[in-house]
């Protein structure tokens, strides 16, 4: 019996050690994969930023340099001259900001109605929203342009913002509905028992709890609006361009000043990166809501 017990303990210890080794190996493998992906993601960003501080001669050299040997701000001065880039940055910020506010407000109301209210056709409403995302932007680009042109909305930020609203509001409703369904119904029912209206319940109970979800939705909407190119190119004019269209304008047909292009791209990258890091904790918390249930 003693020998059997010892052998059983040895097998149990070997199993635990084997499991620990496999777990450690899995973590190292995951870390290696993440490291490779991180390198692929950051190398283009580093090359863009470093090229922005290089001279044109260093950029055009046959032997590429890993860092600027003679750092200069000349590329930044060139792209900021005239103020066209700054105007496009401000235009993009206004359109993205206003669109994000409207999307979050309307998306919160719709998601609350679907998740915490009972009405006929709620499931069909979500399915209909899902089907709106099946068509690519290129398929609706020409009809939208013709309609907006007839309404006099082409070349205006309001026209582009309305298109963004129609495109990104369904995604926001889907995201917020999943978050709102994780809020216990007992909280909203308690508010109704106390005589609170649906608007008061949404404002005082649901939204404070769902702040991480709102931040995640806002970050997604703002970044998507900021980086959108095709609709802005078609619906806006040369006097009212977003930053992505302005960057595309720096690419010439026969020649492109890569230094100025990299400098402009670096400047255009700063606002979304700063906004993301400022709201990073809310974004991560919003993504993890509902993954662990107590």
């Amino acid at each position: 019996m003693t020998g059997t017990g010892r052998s059983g303990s040895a097998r149990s210890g070997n199993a635990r050690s084997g499991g620990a080794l496999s777990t450690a190996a899995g973590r190292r493998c995951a870390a290696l994969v993440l490291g490779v992906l991180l390198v692929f993601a950051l190398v283009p960003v580093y090359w863009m930023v470093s090229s922005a501080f290089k001279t044109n001669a260093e950029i055009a050299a046959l032997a590429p340099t890993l860092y600027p040997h003679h750092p200069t701000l000349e590329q930044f001065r060139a792209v900021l001259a005239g103020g066209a880039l700054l105007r496009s940055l401000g235009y993009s910020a206004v359109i993205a900001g206003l669109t994000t506010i409207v999307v979050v407000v309307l998306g919160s109301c719709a998601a609350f109605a679907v998740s915490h209210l009972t009405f006929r056709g709620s499931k069909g409403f979500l399915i209909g929203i899902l089907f709106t995302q099946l068509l690519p932007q290129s398929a609706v680009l020409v009809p939208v342009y013709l309609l907006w042109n007839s309404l006099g909305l082409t070349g205006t930020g309001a026209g582009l913002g309305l298109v963004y609203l129609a495109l990104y509001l369904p995604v926001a409703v889907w995201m917020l509905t999943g978050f709102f369904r994780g809020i216990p119904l007992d909280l909203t029912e308690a508010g109704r028992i106390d005589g609170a209206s649906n608007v008061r319940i949404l404002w005082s109970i649901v939204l404070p709890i769902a702040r991480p979800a709102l931040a995640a939705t806002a970050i997604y909407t703002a970044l998507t609006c900021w980086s959108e190119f095709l609709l802005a190119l078609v619906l806006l004019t040369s006097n009212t361009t977003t930053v992505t269209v302005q960057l595309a304008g720096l690419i010439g047909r026969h020649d492109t000043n890569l230094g100025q292009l990299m400098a402009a791209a670096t400047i255009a990258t700063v606002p979304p990166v700063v906004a993301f890091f400022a709201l990073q904790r809310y974004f991560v918390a919003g993504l993890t809501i509902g993954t662990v249930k107590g």
Side-chain angles (χ1 to χ4, degrees):
M1 294 295 292
T2 304
T4 304
R6 290 178 178 175
S7 62
S9 299
R11 285 194 298 268
S12 177
N14 291 334
R16 286 195 297 268
S17 61
L21 289 175
S22 62
T23 303
R27 290 178 178 175
R28 286 195 294 268
C29 183
L32 178 62
V33 172
L34 290 177
V36 172
L37 294 177
L38 186 63
V39 169
F40 274 100
L42 293 183
V43 165
V45 178
Y46 169 77
W47 196 260
M48 174 188 70
V49 176
S50 64
S51 298
F53 290 94
K54 295 178 181 178
T55 62
N56 290 330
E58 188 174 358
I59 294 175
L62 294 179
T65 56
L66 294 179
Y67 59 92
H69 290 173
H70 304 284
T72 177
L73 297 176
E74 185 61 32
Q75 310 294 356
F76 292 94
R77 296 191 189 97
V79 297
L80 292 176
L85 180 62
L86 293 178
R87 285 194 297 270
S88 64
L89 286 171
Y91 209 70
S92 293
V94 171
I95 294 176
L98 293 179
T99 302
T100 300
I101 293 174
V102 177
V103 164
V104 171
V105 171
L106 296 183
S108 301
C109 296
F112 174 73
V114 173
S115 59
H116 286 267
L117 300 179
T118 302
F119 62 93
R120 182 180 299 177
S122 60
K123 294 183 179 180
F125 174 75
L126 285 178
I127 295 175
I129 286 180
L130 179 62
F131 273 101
T132 62
Q133 303 302 303
L134 298 181
L135 288 176
Q137 293 184 5
S138 56
V140 299
L141 186 59
V142 174
V144 167
Y145 175 79
L146 294 177
L147 177 61
W148 257 226
N149 191 40
S150 64
L151 296 175
L153 294 176
T154 53
T156 64
L160 183 62
L162 288 174
V163 178
Y164 287 168
L165 179 63
L167 289 176
Y168 307 136
L169 181 58
V171 180
V173 173
W174 265 98
M175 294 175 63
L176 293 175
T177 298
F179 293 132
F180 285 7
R181 282 177 174 172
I183 299 176
L185 292 176
D186 296 340
L187 295 177
T188 57
E189 291 299 328
R192 291 190 178 92
I193 293 175
D194 292 339
S197 63
N198 289 326
V199 176
R200 182 63 182 272
I201 292 173
L202 174 63
W203 180 260
S204 301
I205 299 177
V206 175
L207 292 184
I209 298 175
R211 280 184 297 180
L214 299 177
T217 304
I219 291 175
Y220 167 79
T221 305
L223 293 181
T224 308
C225 292
W226 183 272
S227 60
E228 200 280 325
F229 170 73
L230 183 60
L231 291 169
L233 176 65
V234 174
L235 296 179
L236 296 180
T237 61
S238 58
N239 295 327
T240 56
T241 59
T242 59
V243 64
T244 53
V245 179
Q246 186 69 27
L247 291 177
L250 296 176
I251 302 176
R253 178 175 298 181
H254 303 291
D255 187 23
T256 300
N257 191 317
L258 293 179
Q260 294 183 15
L261 180 61
M262 295 299 102
T266 301
I267 295 173
T269 306
V270 171
V273 170
V274 171
F276 176 80
F277 279 105
L279 300 174
Q280 181 183 14
R281 62 190 184 98
Y282 295 107
F283 185 72
V284 174
L287 292 180
T288 56
I289 287 179
T291 57
V292 179
K293 295 185 178 180

